[in-house]
Amino acid sequence: MRIKPRVAIITGGKSGEHEVSLQSAKSVIAALDKDKYDVVVIGVTKQGRWIAADDALALLEAGCPAEADAAGSAAGSTLIPSDRQELVPGMTAHPFPRVDVVFPVMHGTYGEDGTVQGLLELAGLPYVGAGVLGSALGLDKVTQKNVLAANGVPVVPFQVVLRSQWQTEREATLADVLAHLSLPLFVKPSNGGSSVGCSKAHNVAELAAGLDLAARFDRKLLVEKAVNAREIECSVLGNDQPEASVLGEVEPGNEFYDYHAKYLDDNSVLHIPAELPVELSERIRGLAIKAFRAIDCAGMARIDFFLDRDTGEVFVNELNTIPGFTRISMYPKLWEASGLSYPELLDRLIALAIERHRDRQSSETAYRYDH
C-alpha cells in the first residue's frame, strides 16, 4: 500500500502553447515535494497521442521519436505499458497510471478548455483547477466576456467574427467591425492563450491581416477596442471561498504583451506589487473574485485587467484557468509576494482538488421516485 499520494502531471497537448506547457510542467515537477508525493508524468504529443512513460517529458521535448511507433520509442520508453490501467473503461488506447490526483499543466486548446477535465470527470479522478464549465468559459474569450458582462463585470467593447464569415465576406466583415469599433483594435482567436495568434491593428490593412492570423487558430475571432491601459494581474486561489493575491503590473517591452514579450524577449518588466492606491487595489481584487465566481471557476485562475490611463476605468481582459506555472510566471510570483511559496501553493492546489472531488461525490447520481 502506498503511503504517499501519487500525483500525475499531464503536459504537452495539441495546442499552440505546447512548448509553454512543457516549461510549466518542468517547474511544477521540480517544486513538488518528493517526500510528500509520488510524481508521474503523462505526456500528450502535438498530434494528440498520450505517452505513459518515465521519460514522457523528455520525449515531448525531443519531438517524440516514438510518435510513429505505438510499441515504444527509439530510447526504449513505452507508449502503452502493459501495467497501466485504463483511464476510462473501454478506452484501451489511452492507458493511464494509477494515480490519486491529476494536475493538468496544459495551456490552450485540448487541455485548458474542458476536454481533459471532462475525461477526468468520467474517470472519477480528482484534478487540479476548474471543472468542465469553468475551463470552457475560461478559454473561450467571447463567451467568457458575455458571461462576465451579464454578471456586472466590466469588459472592453468587442465584436465577434466567424472564420467562415471572414473567408466569404471580407469587405462586408471589415465594414461591419469598423461600424461598431474604431481603430486601433486587437484581434485574437476566441479560444487560445499566451497571445498566440493575437495582433494589434492600427489600420484596415492590419485589421485584415490580424483576422487572417487569428483565423489560423480558431473558428471564432474576437475583435476588441484597444485601450491605452496599464496591464494589471491578480492571482485567485480557492474553491467556494476564493482568495485574491496582491496585484502585479506588466510593463510590456513590445507594443503589447505578445508571445515574444512573454516568452522570447527579455525586455518586459513585472512590478510586484503594482503601485496603485489601496482603494483601487481592493476594488480590482474584488472584481477578480467576482469574475472567478461568474464563470464557476475552481482551484486557480489568473485574472488580467486593463486600467485605462485616460479615464481610470477598470476592465477585465480575461481569466486564465491554467496560467503559466514556471517559477518566473506571474501566477506563482503573485502568491509568493502574498506570503505563499511555490511548493506551498502546489500543496494548496492539490488539497483543493481533493476537496472539490469529495464535494462532487456527495451529489447523488441516481433518483428513486417514491409515490
Side-chain angles (χ1 to χ4, degrees):
M1 178 180 293
R2 293 193 311 273
I3 298 176
K4 294 186 293 185
R6 177 173 284 180
V7 178
I9 308 297
I10 307 182
T11 185
K14 294 173 60 177
S15 164
E17 299 173 78
H18 180 95
E19 287 78 13
V20 180
S21 296
L22 300 185
Q23 295 307 310
S24 288
K26 287 172 68 175
S27 292
V28 171
I29 293 164
L32 280 170
D33 188 342
K34 305 309 185 294
D35 291 331
K36 291 183 180 178
Y37 309 108
D38 181 13
V39 181
V40 296
V41 181
I42 306 298
V44 182
T45 70
K46 292 182 178 180
Q47 292 74 25
R49 189 180 201 92
W50 290 58
I51 307 173
D54 292 338
D55 56 350
L57 191 58
L59 285 173
L60 292 180
E61 289 188 309
C64 193
E67 183 62 36
D69 183 5
S73 73
S77 299
T78 306
L79 282 174
I80 307 181
S82 59
D83 63 342
R84 305 297 182 181
Q85 70 179 40
E86 295 170 8
L87 176 56
V88 177
M91 291 190 65
T92 54
H94 288 186
F96 208 75
R98 299 185 183 278
V99 297
D100 299 296
V101 64
V102 178
F103 198 140
V105 189
M106 302 175 72
H107 306 307
T109 50
Y110 304 107
E112 193 176 351
D113 57 358
T115 50
V116 165
Q117 290 74 17
L119 189 64
L120 296 173
E121 292 278 359
L122 287 172
L125 288 170
Y127 58 91
V128 170
V132 175
L133 177 62
S135 297
L137 290 174
L139 195 67
D140 189 322
K141 296 179 179 65
V142 167
T143 309
Q144 180 189 119
K145 287 179 183 293
N146 286 327
V147 171
L148 292 177
N151 282 271
V153 177
V155 297
V156 173
F158 68 95
Q159 288 287 108
V160 184
V161 176
L162 296 181
R163 179 166 55 196
S164 58
Q165 171 192 355
W166 172 238
Q167 291 172 340
T168 58
E169 304 173 13
R170 294 174 69 93
E171 294 302 322
T173 300
L174 289 173
D176 183 61
V177 168
L178 294 174
H180 293 88
L181 300 172
S182 58
L183 294 163
L185 299 167
F186 279 106
V187 186
K188 309 172 182 178
S190 181
N191 289 273
S194 293
S195 298
V196 172
C198 297
S199 62
K200 187 175 183 179
H202 303 83
N203 53 53
V204 177
E206 289 181 353
L207 175 58
L211 288 167
D212 283 335
L213 174 63
R216 289 166 47 191
F217 297 96
D218 197 19
R219 59 171 289 275
K220 192 162 50 175
L221 318 177
L222 172 68
V223 184
E224 60 185 7
K225 178 179 174 60
V227 179
N228 177 25
R230 296 170 63 182
E231 298 190 32
I232 309 297
E233 300 189 354
C234 180
S235 296
V236 176
L237 178 68
N239 290 332
D240 292 346
Q241 301 297 326
E243 304 171 66
S245 71
V246 300
L247 303 181
E249 180 173 5
V250 178
E251 190 177 331
N254 301 337
E255 184 175 4
F256 69 98
Y257 203 36
D258 60 6
Y259 187 94
H260 280 263
K262 289 176 179 177
Y263 304 113
L264 302 178
D265 302 331
D266 187 22
N267 59 354
S268 296
V269 179
L270 305 181
H271 300 282
I272 302 174
E275 293 185 13
L276 296 169
V278 173
E279 183 179 348
L280 177 58
S281 179
E282 288 305 304
R283 181 156 68 91
I284 293 174
R285 293 174 74 239
L287 279 173
I289 297 293
K290 187 173 184 179
F292 187 89
R293 286 176 166 154
I295 71 162
D296 194 29
C297 202
M300 61 180 169
R302 193 193 71 239
I303 293 85
D304 301 341
F305 293 86
F306 290 142
L307 174 58
D308 194 315
R309 298 177 187 271
D310 302 321
T311 67
E313 293 179 276
V314 176
F315 302 97
V316 169
N317 177 30
E318 64 181 16
L319 288 87
N320 298 271
T321 58
I322 304 183
F325 238 97
T326 69
R327 284 190 175 273
I328 62 171
S329 296
M330 187 64 102
Y331 185 85
K333 284 178 74 69
L334 288 175
W335 278 117
E336 186 174 22
S338 302
L340 193 64
S341 71
Y342 193 108
E344 290 172 328
L345 175 60
L346 297 178
D347 289 343
R348 284 284 301 277
L349 287 168
I350 290 170
L352 287 166
I354 295 170
E355 172 190 281
R356 190 161 181 270
H357 180 69
R358 288 172 178 164
D359 184 55
R360 284 196 298 266
Q361 287 184 312
S362 69
S363 300
E364 295 184 15
T365 56
Y367 175 67
R368 186 182 67 185
Y369 178 72
D370 296 320
H371 292 282

